Amino acid sequence: MTHNSLNGVVKSMGLVFGDIGTSPIYALTAIFFIIQPTRDNVLGMLSLILWTLTMLVTVQYTYLAMHLGTKGEGGTIVLREILLPMLKSRTLAAFVSLLAIVGIALFIGDGVITPAISMLSAVEGIVLIPGFEHTRETTLMIIAGLIAIGLFSIQARGSERIAWTFGPVMLIWFAVLAGTGLVAIWSAPGVLYAVNPVYGIHYITSHGLEGFLILSSVILVATGGEALYADMGHLGRGPIIRAWHIVFFVLAINYLGQGAFILTHPGAHNILFEMVYSQFRIVYIPFLLLSIAATVIASQAMISGIFSIVYQGITTRMMPLLRIDYTSPLLRSQIYIDVVNWALLLAVLFIIVIFRSSANLTHAYGLAVCGTMVITAIFVTWILILRGQIIRSLIGAVILGITVAFLLANFDKIPYGGYWSLVIAAVPFAIVLVFVQGQKKLASALSPVPFDDFLARFNDAYNTLNRISGTALFFARDFRALPQYIPRTMFNNRIIYDDNIIVSINRTEAPFGITWGFTREVTKGFSIFEIYAGYMEFVNIANILKEAEIDELTIFYGIEDVITTNIVWRVFAAIRRLSPSLVQFYKLPADRIHGVVTRVEM
């Protein structure tokens, strides 16, 4: 392995595998909280865990999903963008868009519970330290809450300043997981039989409904699979797949070790921490601190993943514009979204207060993860079928069946707190749905002006009115159907410059790449400037204008003032008011900007 690929592997361990890499802290503990640690049960559970990691992460993500994109980008929105051009029916396209919105919402719901359960479960290891056995639950909650506040507070400064430590810390974490797992396996090597899938199948078939419902706890080992895919745009496919081979081996060893430990210590409650405590008591406190650091890194990966998904949602016009800060001059994927950050923190603290312990949280965790995985499996299989890849399509269909089984098992969690992940997911879902429908309604209410009609009036006005010297830019989504504010500014308010340029930003079906085209002097004094950018691309309009040698005096853009009595459109109007305008979003110079208000009744 070359130095570069080794560096990529270490980086991806820090930025991508934090979530799935910290599942050993709580996954087996949650499972054996419900069932007895008999030999058959332990082998059955370990077999289910190993094959869940194999099928849902290795096959679904690293083998199928990660090879669908063109430039190593990932996530629900990317799959939607690949699928939409392949569909002939508008009904199917609308269905795909709705599924994508549900997927995004569930991913965000999962992103709230991940930091809460990770931090609580790591902090709970404190009670094994002599003298701290009677630490109150409230104290542990406060510590977890303070760690969360600290983590979200540093987001605005950009994670790349500390990101270089993430890889090495997770490397140490995985080395410790593998080492402690191997030591434990030595005491009960019989657990290695669990590699055989027959033990898992036997457990499910011989325990009736209870055997099926245990899948809702087994899924805890695969949480982070979706984040692994959504974060792919940060590092590319290669390093992530290479790192996963190592991480998979480490997780398998550690889960087998925990299984061996519970066979020899059937009374264990907090399995991983008790296993390490019994093996290496002298280094237990450093291990506890390492586990807290690992959970912070896991939460960071989830936060970065949510920022990426929200940004993709904004650029594909599924989400309202939000103020975005680029926190790294080098990494364009390093972004910070203020509103999303603080909303996530409040939700995480709320979840910690509601559930109080990681044991309670495992009852809620997994439902959103499974929902997202099912949507990914539907999209992946559908794309493979349309591309005519028969063998991969069949594999995709098998994976879809498995993820649906996991989702059905997780429905059992809804009354025990699982509904909270749905409540959290309902907030972004409602916002996106209202925004998308509102935009459609607004577009039809605005009745854009056809280009030819506009051009005839422009020629007449340009030749008869007094013109202002210099260049004016007018922003329009599509120059073929101009927004009302442009003719109103020029013809009603009689504001015409010597040079008038329509600027439109078009998102392409490709994820990356920026090009621009200048149609100079369509008619005297009037030009069109089109920017084409990939749907994951970060566009610096000021630089592009400079490159095109456009020296604008004034920038005009439209503001819609929505008047309505309908409650849904009132919400839409509030979202529009709270989100920045197009020119604020692209950080154009404030001293040249003029917003032109159009009153619209909806």
Side-chain angles (χ1 to χ4, degrees), residues 26-90:
Y26 50 79
L28 267 189
T29 296
I31 292 168
F32 288 106
F33 184 72
I34 303 167
I35 64 172
Q36 292 297 314
T38 62
R39 183 180 180 278
D40 284 352
N41 286 356
V42 169
L43 287 176
M45 285 306 102
L46 293 176
S47 177
L48 285 173
I49 285 168
L50 296 179
W51 285 95
T52 298
L53 287 173
T54 303
M55 301 302 283
L56 294 194
V57 185
T58 307
V59 178
Q60 166 150 324
Y61 289 111
T62 64
Y63 175 62
L64 295 178
M66 283 189 172
H67 290 83
L68 291 177
T70 50
K71 293 203 181 166
E73 68 289 349
T76 312
I77 293 177
V78 170
L79 290 175
R80 169 184 174 266
E81 294 298 308
I82 295 170
L83 188 52
L84 282 180
M86 301 166 82
L87 300 173
K88 303 284 181 280
S89 153
R90 290 184 69 174

Side-chain angles (χ1 to χ4, degrees), residues 163-177:
W164 64 272
T165 63
F166 288 1
V169 169
M170 290 310 290
L171 201 59
I172 296 166
W173 170 251
F174 287 126
V176 170
L177 285 185

Side-chain angles (χ1 to χ4, degrees), residues 284-340:
Y284 179 73
I285 292 175
F287 171 76
L288 179 64
L289 294 173
L290 177 65
S291 70
I292 292 171
T295 56
V296 166
I297 292 167
S299 306
Q300 177 62 56
M302 202 71 200
I303 296 164
S304 299
I306 288 176
F307 287 165
S308 290
I309 288 282
V310 170
Y311 183 81
Q312 289 173 29
I314 291 168
T315 57
T316 50
R317 301 196 170 118
M318 291 172 74
M319 288 186 175
L321 296 179
L322 297 169
R323 203 172 72 104
I324 290 173
D325 294 308
Y326 303 97
T327 57
S328 166
L330 304 171
L331 284 173
R332 59 183 172 182
S333 57
Q334 287 287 322
I335 58 172
Y336 169 72
I337 306 173
D338 197 57
V339 178
V340 175

Side-chain angles (χ1 to χ4, degrees), residues 432-576:
V432 173
L433 211 56
V434 168
F435 180 75
V436 169
Q437 293 306 315
Q439 289 288 83
K440 283 182 188 167
K441 178 90 172 166
L442 182 63
S444 62
L446 278 169
S447 54
V449 178
F451 186 62
D452 292 340
D453 297 0
F454 167 81
L455 218 50
R457 288 187 69 188
F458 177 84
N459 284 329
D460 185 43
Y462 191 80
N463 294 323
T464 56
L465 296 175
N466 291 330
R467 299 193 298 272
I468 303 165
S469 63
T471 302
L473 304 183
F474 295 85
F475 275 87
R477 183 175 291 184
D478 183 357
F479 72 86
R480 286 172 289 270
L482 292 169
Q484 289 275 1
Y485 88 88
I486 297 177
R488 217 173 68 238
T489 303
M490 291 182 176
F491 313 141
N492 298 13
N493 301 338
R494 303 188 167 201
I495 299 171
I496 289 195
Y497 283 70
D498 282 339
D499 285 312
N500 304 274
I501 302 173
I502 302 289
V503 179
S504 71
I505 302 155
N506 305 292
R507 291 289 173 174
T508 62
E509 286 172 5
F512 296 109
I514 298 177
T515 55
W516 49 265
F518 208 163
T519 313
R520 289 183 192 272
E521 298 277 319
V522 176
T523 185
K524 191 168 167 51
F526 185 80
S527 304
I528 296 165
F529 188 73
E530 291 181 280
I531 298 168
Y532 297 92
Y535 59 84
M536 290 177 75
E537 197 64 76
F538 300 89
V539 184
N540 187 327
I541 291 183
N543 280 0
I544 293 171
L545 294 174
K546 199 177 287 178
E547 198 182 314
E549 297 178 354
I550 295 173
D551 185 20
E552 76 282 353
L553 194 67
T554 313
I555 300 169
F556 291 98
Y557 68 98
I559 303 171
E560 289 78 33
D561 181 22
V562 177
I563 308 293
T564 182
T565 51
N566 182 307
I567 186 69
V568 176
W569 303 139
R570 276 187 175 175
V571 173
F572 170 68
I575 293 169
R576 296 267 310 183

Side-chain angles (χ1 to χ4, degrees), residues 12-23 26 61 75-76 103-119 151-152 155 159 166 170 220 222-232 234 293-312 333-337 340-341 344-345 347-348 365-370 372-373 421 424-425:
S12 59
M13 281 185 177
L15 289 171
V16 177
F17 291 103
D19 188 4
I20 203 162
T22 49
S23 297
Y26 50 79
Y61 289 111
T76 312
I104 296 161
L106 289 173
F107 183 73
I108 293 170
D110 179 30
V112 168
I113 295 181
T114 296
I117 193 169
S118 300
M119 290 171 188
L151 174 65
F152 282 94
Q155 294 302 314
S159 60
F166 288 1
M170 290 310 290
L220 295 175
T223 57
E226 189 66 29
L228 173 157
Y229 179 48
D231 277 337
M232 191 166 73
H234 292 193
T295 56
V296 166
I297 292 167
S299 306
Q300 177 62 56
M302 202 71 200
I303 296 164
S304 299
I306 288 176
F307 287 165
S308 290
I309 288 282
V310 170
Y311 183 81
Q312 289 173 29
S333 57
Q334 287 287 322
I335 58 172
Y336 169 72
I337 306 173
V340 175
N341 187 62
L344 276 176
L345 172 61
V348 168
Y365 198 35
L367 186 63
V369 179
C370 285
T372 316
M373 284 183 171
S421 60
I424 293 160

